Amino acid sequence: MIFTTFLAFIAAASAIDCSAEELKPYNLQSIKGTYSFSTLKNTPPSTTNLTWNIGICESVSNLQDCPKDSDICGVTTIQLKDEKPVVSEIIPFGGSLQKKYETSDNGIKIIYNGANWGDALVNAEVNFICDKDATDKKLTLDQWDGTNLKLSMKNKAACITSDEDKKKEKKPDGGESWGWFTWIFIFLVLFLSIYIVGGAWFQYNKGNAIDFQSALKEVIENFIELLKGLPSFSKEIIEKFTGRSNRGEYSAV
């Protein structure tokens, strides 16, 4: 197993910086977004909701109660019956915090130490676990004891990925080519329809047909004859270019 530990200082960054050198072997860009995990606790006469938010490759500044330079942000709200929720706690882990990256074949661990929260210092650990079969992007809360926070997510984005594999994930095989084929087929059908109907109308206007229906029938018959002659015509053209048509004109001496 390959295992390396990196220590990085990233100032004035918002969200987990997916362009960081340590994260380049992975494809966190494929799970770009803001993810949340909420725990609801019954605290009569109210209910208490603690929501942890994490930004991957994008800022969490769109969340009203979170500081705009936060990588991770926890928000606690208290809800009394028939009243608006009141924010009682905001626990931010800023992008300027010292970060420690632990990367391996099994995934990525990002560690934050010493975030100021009132008179206390709190720590956070985010684990991106390599799972090539994972189909969801679910954030999980593993621990929060008032001092230490642990969040995790299982996803194939945390598996070491080659540049070629990243390109394949961005552009699924066959999607674009099928789109072009569909448009070509539609234009071909449209062209043939215009050719047949237009030819019939032209024949009818010239007086070569008693009515439009007979003109249409004549054009279709001519078109079918044209299609029947295409194979021999194509063969003749190929023989002209390859020189095969001249072989019968010479005999051995």
Side-chain angles (χ1 to χ4, degrees):
M1 177 190 295
I2 301 170
F3 191 93
T4 54
T5 303
F6 297 92
L7 194 63
F9 296 87
I10 303 176
S14 58
I16 291 175
D17 182 12
C18 295
S19 65
E21 189 67 30
E22 296 80 9
L23 303 182
K24 285 184 179 179
Y26 306 90
N27 194 15
L28 290 185
Q29 188 71 34
S30 65
I31 55 171
K32 176 180 178 180
T34 300
Y35 298 87
S36 302
F37 184 92
S38 297
T39 54
L40 192 63
K41 187 178 180 181
N42 190 20
T43 52
S46 65
T47 53
T48 301
N49 185 3
L50 173 57
T51 300
W52 291 102
N53 307 283
I54 180 171
I56 303 173
C57 306
E58 73 172 22
S59 175
V60 293
S61 59
N62 59 330
L63 300 176
Q64 182 179 352
D65 299 311
C66 294
K68 62 181 180 180
D69 66 337
S70 299
D71 282 16
I72 307 168
C73 177
V75 179
T76 301
T77 57
I78 297 174
Q79 173 77 62
L80 288 168
K81 188 177 181 180
D82 300 327
E83 293 186 17
K84 290 184 178 180
V86 176
V87 176
S88 62
E89 294 176 332
I90 299 175
I91 311 165
F93 291 84
S96 58
L97 274 176
Q98 174 183 318
K99 297 176 190 174
K100 181 180 177 183
Y101 294 94
E102 294 182 359
T103 61
S104 72
D105 292 340
N106 294 327
I108 310 157
K109 183 184 291 184
I110 306 175
I111 300 170
Y112 299 77
N113 287 315
N116 289 302
W117 183 44
D119 297 330
L121 293 176
V122 292
N123 306 310
E125 184 179 292
V126 183
N127 285 288
F128 295 99
I129 303 166
C130 171
D131 186 346
K132 294 182 179 180
D133 298 322
T135 56
D136 59 2
K137 294 177 280 189
K138 185 179 178 182
L139 185 67
T140 302
L141 175 65
D142 299 318
Q143 180 185 346
W144 170 242
D145 57 11
T147 303
N148 297 294
L149 168 69
K150 289 185 179 180
L151 297 166
S152 65
M153 179 187 289
K154 289 183 178 181
N155 196 274
K156 62 181 178 180
C159 305
I160 292 178
T161 311
S162 68
D163 291 338
E164 193 64 30
D165 289 335
K166 290 178 184 179
K167 290 177 184 178
K168 288 179 182 178
E169 287 188 19
K170 289 180 182 178
K171 189 185 289 184
D173 290 337
E176 188 175 345
S177 59
W178 173 249
W180 280 109
F181 176 79
T182 303
W183 279 111
I184 291 171
F185 179 76
I186 290 171
F187 281 124
L188 182 61
V189 171
L190 185 62
F191 172 77
L192 292 177
S193 301
I194 293 172
Y195 172 81
I196 293 171
V197 175
W201 182 258
F202 180 74
Q203 292 276 38
Y204 176 70
N205 282 342
K206 283 182 66 178
N208 295 340
I210 299 172
D211 54 28
F212 183 76
Q213 187 175 357
S214 62
L216 182 62
K217 182 180 179 182
E218 183 180 347
V219 171
I220 293 174
E221 287 174 352
N222 291 337
F223 181 70
I224 292 173
E225 289 298 320
L226 177 65
L227 291 179
K228 287 180 179 178
L230 276 179
S232 59
F233 176 75
S234 301
K235 182 180 179 183
E236 185 178 341
I237 293 295
I238 292 170
E239 287 177 348
K240 273 188 176 293
F241 278 102
T242 58
R244 292 180 183 177
S245 59
N246 296 328
R247 291 183 181 177
E249 298 175 8
Y250 298 94
S251 59
V253 178

